[in-house]
Amino acid sequence: TMELVGGMTSVYNEGFGNKWACFMFPSTLMAWQMRLWFKLRPERLQMVEVAVGRDGAPLGYVQLTIYPMSDSNRLHAMKPGETYIEQICVSQMARGRGIGKLLLQKAEERARAASCTFMSLQVLNGNPAIRLYERFGFEVVPKSNCKQACEACIILGLMGRPYGCCNLHFGAVTMEKQLT
């Protein structure tokens, strides 16, 4: 619901706000920006599952796109039978408590209810959440070296080095989980 968007913005900023975007500006959002985005796209708010704590504050959320919708940025080519996880964020204080797994379970429930045959996501190399996705059944989709290099250059140009200049990981991987 729209009442949770302010808390979702805080969770987003914890997860993504420390990454540097185009030309080295932080990718933080203000609550009014996220509220406006969802107000202009009410169908997108229906594609969000939120985990809340006892106090009602969001601990994490997952934003989905289910075929035949397009992802919100139109950067991912949706395929028939696909549920794409556009964003999954868990607040720093809630990490390690099963919130990410719960959100993935909710995403899978939504995917199965929509008769999807697979789920997919993209994750930056070096992100520790890759281990969670693998435990949940996601597998890395192989890419050609050329495609990997092109994607790494795009991410480098858009986000710089999200995990720091000295981190050897760069680029991203696509992961899929079959639901059949």
Side-chain angles (χ1 to χ4, degrees):
T1 64
M2 199 60 100
E3 295 80 39
L4 296 174
V5 171
M8 287 169 51
T9 305
S10 297
V11 173
Y12 172 91
N13 287 334
E14 283 184 35
F16 297 109
N18 63 350
K19 311 293 188 289
W20 293 88
C22 291
F23 309 109
M24 305 312 269
F25 293 108
S27 59
T28 54
L29 283 177
M30 303 298 286
W32 68 266
Q33 290 172 302
M34 192 177 265
R35 279 192 199 97
L36 178 61
W37 193 88
F38 280 120
K39 185 176 181 182
L40 295 173
R41 299 162 188 86
E43 73 283 0
R44 291 288 175 191
L45 192 56
Q46 297 169 15
M47 302 304 294
V48 175
E49 292 286 344
V50 183
V52 295
R54 287 190 173 92
D55 62 356
L59 299 174
Y61 72 92
V62 61
Q63 182 177 332
L64 307 172
T65 298
I66 297 176
Y67 183 85
M69 292 178 79
S70 297
D71 73 299
S72 58
N73 297 315
R74 300 195 187 282
L75 295 174
H76 178 78
M78 294 294 294
K79 299 175 191 134
E82 179 179 16
T83 292
Y84 178 61
I85 297 176
E86 286 195 56
Q87 292 180 357
I88 183 167
C89 304
V90 176
S91 74
Q92 291 175 353
M93 69 170 205
R95 290 182 187 160
R97 295 177 28 200
I99 303 300
K101 181 180 177 182
L102 174 72
L103 291 169
L104 290 171
Q105 288 169 335
K106 290 288 189 184
E108 185 171 335
E109 287 173 18
R110 295 277 299 264
R112 289 185 185 280
S115 300
C116 290
T117 56
F118 73 103
M119 295 171 36
S120 68
L121 58 84
Q122 281 206 317
V123 59
L124 293 174
N125 284 324
N127 186 330
I130 290 174
R131 291 187 304 274
L132 168 65
Y133 306 143
E134 289 173 335
R135 284 193 309 269
F136 197 73
F138 281 87
E139 297 177 354
V140 173
V141 176
K143 297 179 193 171
S144 71
N145 289 340
C146 181
K147 186 169 183 174
Q148 275 183 310
C150 290
E151 286 182 1
C153 288
I154 291 168
I155 290 168
L156 185 63
L158 292 175
M159 299 182 73
R161 298 294 295 268
Y163 295 106
C165 289
C166 297
N167 191 303
L168 298 176
H169 302 292
F170 62 97
V173 294
T174 300
M175 300 182 81
E176 289 184 359
K177 177 179 181 175
Q178 298 302 314
L179 300 179
T180 53

